[in-house]
Amino acid sequence: MEATVSDQRPAEESPATFRDVFGQSEFRALFAANVLSWVGDYLAKAAVTVLVLRETQSVALSAAAFAASYLPWLIGGPLLSALAERHRYRRVMVLCDLIRMALMVLVAMPFMPAWSILGLIFLATLANPPSQAARSALLPHVLTGDRLVVGLAASTSAAQAAQVVGYLAGATIAVLDPSTALLLNAGTFALSAALVRFGLRDRAPSMTEAHRSHLLRETAQGFRIVFERPVLRAIAVLVFSAMLFSIVPEGLAAGWAAERTDGGMDTGTAQAVIMAANPIGYVIGGLLIGRLATPARRLALMPPLAVLAPAVLVPSLLDPPPVVVALLAAACGFAVGGIVPVANGLFVQALPDGYRARAFGVMASGTQILQGVSVLATGALAERFTIPTVVGLWSAAGVLLMIVAAVTWPRPATIGAAVDAARAESAAGNGPPAAREPAGGDRGREPARHRHAVT
């Protein structure tokens, strides 16, 4: 799930501009490193699906290659995200970038069989949770007040744009030479590591040894804060449900494009269009609903958009051409773009300070795992049934799931009470001892009222 922030701003803060945000040299370095990593990740996903499909002629294995980049969150996501709080953020990010760079170079080697590609992708993705958690937790050190709000908004939009660029470039280049696309991905990690190493200050860890408990206990605190509180739990259920179906067209795009190309569209172009459609719709939906709707209206739109998101994919049953598939995926992305940023904003407001990296680990792991599981499941089904049938029926089941989530969504008064309680808890400093900043640390430069959790 991409990082978003509260729709509300402290009354005493003046609005920030993009010039204010990008005027910070550290933010520019972090922003550029993020964009490079995102573009490289999505470029690699598109290239790996083509590479495995070409080697094995199996849609299921191609989908498994796509899902392999998500499944490591199942075994290491929350734990490794919590680990990021124990070490210097800059060191964590640089080390993770270098590990991923080396592993992607190995994936690009022509002698690698399909099973080793899946294994190396799995290992490379184990570096994602600590890296992303460290970046998420570092941003409030770089930007404060409304600059943080604007900076997160810029990062969210850039992440979706990077997904489009990565998918388009990856699918296009992979048709000619998948290894070239993977080497480009390795290069993005090298540049990202350099930007982080030389563009960011080396801050002390947010958690000192004196504040540490057992790593498993610290990880469990992240799960408890998310799932024991009704509003946070409802947000998690809604977001996780959306992840089960919105990713499916992307995950099956290679097989879908290979099965049905017409109108003069070649296989590579068809795959690229299908894979890019959902993030394009997400950007449009997030921008339109975020800019044109009031906060109260956004909240009211969440239940109908939740049901609409899977419903627009049900016409896949009619086996439309790739262009229509892309339009359906874009419509799904539009609805999800109207849901997830608002849900994340509520999550931020209802989350007390001191749980940033761990809450990130729980939510990011859940979204990554469910996306991987959904692609694996639909890929396996596509071995026995046609892809349009699988996507259409899978989405119909998603409609039923979203109806349940919409009906059980908390009332505005309940959400408001949870936000007020979290603010009071944060102001009182009642977070877990392991999550509190040591006196005299870097956080001493940042007023407590400017701290925002990032998910």
Side-chain angles (χ1 to χ4, degrees):
M1 180 166 71
E2 300 301 335
T4 56
V5 295
S6 168
D7 291 315
Q8 299 180 354
R9 296 171 179 167
E12 64 271 22
E13 295 179 1
S14 59
T17 66
F18 284 109
R19 178 177 295 180
D20 295 331
V21 170
F22 285 96
Q24 301 284 336
S25 61
E26 284 192 292
F27 178 76
R28 291 197 302 271
L30 189 60
F31 180 86
N34 281 339
V35 170
L36 283 168
S37 294
W38 289 327
V39 169
D41 278 340
Y42 293 117
L43 188 152
K45 286 178 183 178
V48 167
T49 58
V50 172
L51 183 62
V52 174
L53 184 65
R54 181 179 296 178
E55 292 290 330
T56 65
Q57 301 300 312
S58 169
V59 174
L61 285 177
S62 176
F66 186 92
S69 61
Y70 293 101
L71 294 183
W73 289 84
L74 175 63
I75 64 170
L79 191 69
L80 293 173
S81 295
L83 187 64
E85 288 185 322
R86 292 184 165 204
H87 302 281
R88 295 177 180 270
Y89 294 138
R90 190 180 75 176
R91 183 178 301 170
V92 170
M93 290 184 286
V94 170
L95 182 60
C96 289
D97 278 341
L98 294 177
I99 289 173
R100 289 182 289 186
M101 177 195 71
L103 290 174
M104 294 312 299
V105 169
L106 288 177
V107 173
M109 295 296 100
F111 53 80
M112 285 293 172
W115 65 265
S116 63
I117 291 174
L118 296 178
L120 290 170
I121 293 294
F122 182 90
L123 291 175
T125 309
L126 285 177
N128 286 352
S131 176
Q132 293 180 18
R135 294 183 189 203
S136 177
L138 175 65
L139 190 56
H141 291 272
V142 176
L143 300 175
T144 60
D146 197 49
R147 288 186 176 89
L148 177 60
V149 176
V150 176
L152 282 168
S155 296
T156 301
S157 299
Q160 296 300 319
Q163 185 172 0
V164 174
V165 172
Y167 277 156
L168 289 174
T172 302
I173 298 172
V175 171
L176 302 175
D177 186 2
S179 295
T180 298
L182 294 168
L183 289 175
L184 288 174
N185 180 35
T188 63
F189 285 128
L191 290 174
S192 175
L195 286 168
V196 170
R197 173 60 181 82
F198 298 106
L200 298 177
R201 291 197 296 112
D202 190 20
R203 294 171 173 83
S206 62
M207 185 185 299
T208 64
E209 291 188 10
H211 290 139
R212 294 179 187 174
S213 60
H214 194 282
L215 184 61
L216 292 176
R217 185 178 303 162
E218 295 165 10
T219 304
Q221 288 176 339
F223 280 94
R224 285 199 299 269
I225 192 69
V226 172
F227 291 107
E228 287 184 355
R229 304 197 177 196
V231 170
L232 294 178
R233 183 172 63 245
I235 294 170
V237 168
L238 185 70
V239 173
F240 291 164
S241 297
M243 297 303 106
L244 280 172
F245 54 82
S246 60
I247 193 67
V248 171
E250 297 174 35
L252 300 182
W256 211 337
E259 286 185 6
R260 177 98 190 265
T261 56
D262 48 32
M265 184 179 293
D266 61 83
T267 301
T269 302
Q271 179 190 354
V273 167
I274 294 172
M275 296 188 83
N278 188 277
I280 289 175
Y282 187 103
V283 171
I284 295 173
L287 289 176
L288 287 182
I289 294 174
R291 295 290 297 172
L292 301 181
T294 64
R297 184 62 177 166
R298 292 181 211 135
L299 188 59
L301 285 172
M302 289 186 69
L305 286 174
V307 178
L308 179 65
V312 297
L313 293 176
V314 175
S316 298
L317 284 166
L318 302 176
D319 191 16
V323 171
V324 177
V325 172
L327 291 175
L328 297 178
C332 175
F334 182 94
V336 174
I339 296 168
V340 173
V342 180
N344 287 352
L346 293 176
F347 188 89
V348 168
Q349 295 178 75
L351 181 69
D353 288 338
Y355 292 89
R356 184 174 295 118
R358 282 167 285 182
F360 170 88
V362 172
M363 294 300 295
S365 296
T367 58
Q368 300 287 338
I369 291 166
L370 289 174
Q371 288 180 91
V373 168
S374 64
V375 172
L376 277 176
T378 53
L381 290 171
E383 289 287 287
R384 300 190 61 183
F385 309 97
T386 66
I387 292 178
T389 299
V390 171
V391 176
L393 293 179
W394 186 271
S395 302
V399 172
L400 298 177
L401 180 62
M402 279 305 204
I403 288 175
V404 174
V407 170
T408 58
W409 182 249
R411 296 179 178 180
T414 303
I415 294 173
V419 171
D420 291 340
R423 288 175 178 170
E425 187 174 342
S426 298
N430 292 332
R436 296 176 191 164
E437 293 293 330
D442 284 327
R443 279 302 269 279
R445 303 185 183 93
E446 184 179 347
R449 63 182 173 87
H450 287 162
R451 284 152 55 187
H452 295 255
V454 179
T455 61

